Amino acid sequence: MNKNILIAPLNWGLGHATRCIPIIKALEQHGFTPIIASDGAALALLKKEFPHLITVELPAYNISYAENGKNFKWKLIAQMPKMFRAIRKEKALVRKIISNYEIEGLISDNRLGVYSKNVPSVFITHQLNVLSGKTSWFTTKVHSNYISKFDVCWVPDTNKFPNLSGKLGHLEKPLNNTIYIGPLSRFEKESLPIKYDLMVILSGPEPQRTLLEEKLIEELQRYKKEILFVKGIVQNEQKTWKEDQITYYNFMNSEELNTAFNESEMVLCRSGYTTVMDLAKLDKKAFFIPTPGQYEQEYLAKKYKTEGIAPCCKQEKFKLEKLSKIDVYKGLQNYTTVINWENLFSLFHSK
């Protein structure tokens, strides 16, 4: 009889959910039965990807974000008591889920309450160092304390240079339970004819997603070549329409995105880590606009610019002419490693 494994990504943009897609597929391929748990847009997306699997709704952290990037950290800190209350509710609900669904393993992508002393528990993160400006030492220490409770921490990167996460995923004093599993991506590189000169794919928290959408639509009106514009809004029904040279989608599923990326010459997007892993798998050239106030995305964008991989700029400073810089950067090379799923999943056979 297949063992039931609960897999629970954080609902913070769509990146945590999408990078769990290859893990869910690997679990099925290795004889496990994944049960998906999340909330909001992340849960909605995974329901569309895996309609045959059981899904469970977890308490929402309900974090709202500042319209001004400078206030991002302080608004987040002010909401931490609310977040910790949600984590306590999450812990209580997970105990019930383990009992009700006979769960024999947990995989949490940054959900701090999806943990059990009685069931093998895995934590996934690329942020061992949690950057928050002058408070980075504190946020990193709090995060490390949570991570240390889990049996294993999977870091989706390599433990050598070159790597994708830089100082985010590499501590000076490594945690004892850390395993570097290699970058995760749901996509595969294909040789397809180029259909779009530029692909725009949006993601991340509101209101910043909408603010970037409005900014880009205004600037891209002057772009003369074909553009694919994926808004990243998961709704019940997929919608697509064309205005001049821009083809719009509210969202695409994994198969459609895989084709779209391979049919696009360049990509304009946030510098979220999951998106970066996808672009690296596909050997794409990109232009990054980090979410204002998100230290992680700002760090990654600067890292790739410094290393000659991809240009970037702040959201408010984006102009169409900046896209011409993409040509002088080398793009994201193939960082793909073969993930040893059998070895990683052996934890679920150990208890």
Side-chain angles (χ1 to χ4, degrees), residues 14 35 50 76 86 101 115 119 129 150 178 187 197 215-216 247 252 272 284 297-298 303 308 315:
L14 296 176
I35 292 174
F50 302 100
L76 205 58
Y101 293 95
Y115 159 78
V119 173
N129 274 309
F150 287 77
T178 302
F187 299 131
D197 190 66
K215 175 82 171 174
L216 293 181
T247 301
M252 285 182 162
K284 284 296 171 184
Q297 290 195 15
E298 290 172 347
K303 165 183 157 65
Q315 185 165 298

Side-chain angles (χ1 to χ4, degrees), residues 111-167:
R111 295 198 79 115
L112 300 175
V114 180
Y115 159 78
S116 173
K117 290 181 180 178
N118 304 316
V119 173
S121 301
V122 175
F123 192 76
I124 304 173
T125 187
H126 63 277
Q127 288 192 81
L128 298 175
N129 274 309
V130 183
L131 303 185
S132 59
K134 293 179 181 178
T135 54
S136 293
W137 67 273
F138 175 72
T139 48
T140 297
K141 185 177 176 65
V142 171
H143 202 224
S144 295
N145 286 341
Y146 271 104
I147 293 171
S148 64
K149 296 177 184 178
F150 287 77
D151 293 292
V152 179
C153 175
W154 292 349
V155 180
D157 198 2
T158 59
N159 195 22
K160 59 183 185 296
F161 186 85
N163 57 63
L164 290 173
S165 64
K167 68 180 181 182

Side-chain angles (χ1 to χ4, degrees), residues 18 21 25 45 48-49 186-188 190 192 199 228 238 249 251-263 282:
T18 57
I21 289 172
K25 289 180 176 178
L45 182 144
K48 289 180 183 295
E49 293 287 335
R186 53 182 163 156
F187 299 131
E188 296 294 337
E190 298 177 35
L192 298 176
M199 178 180 178
L228 175 64
Q238 186 185 63
Y249 279 80
F251 71 92
M252 285 182 162
N253 64 28
S254 291
E255 190 176 334
E256 292 166 331
L257 280 171
N258 194 85
T259 300
F261 272 119
N262 280 290
E263 289 180 337
L282 300 169

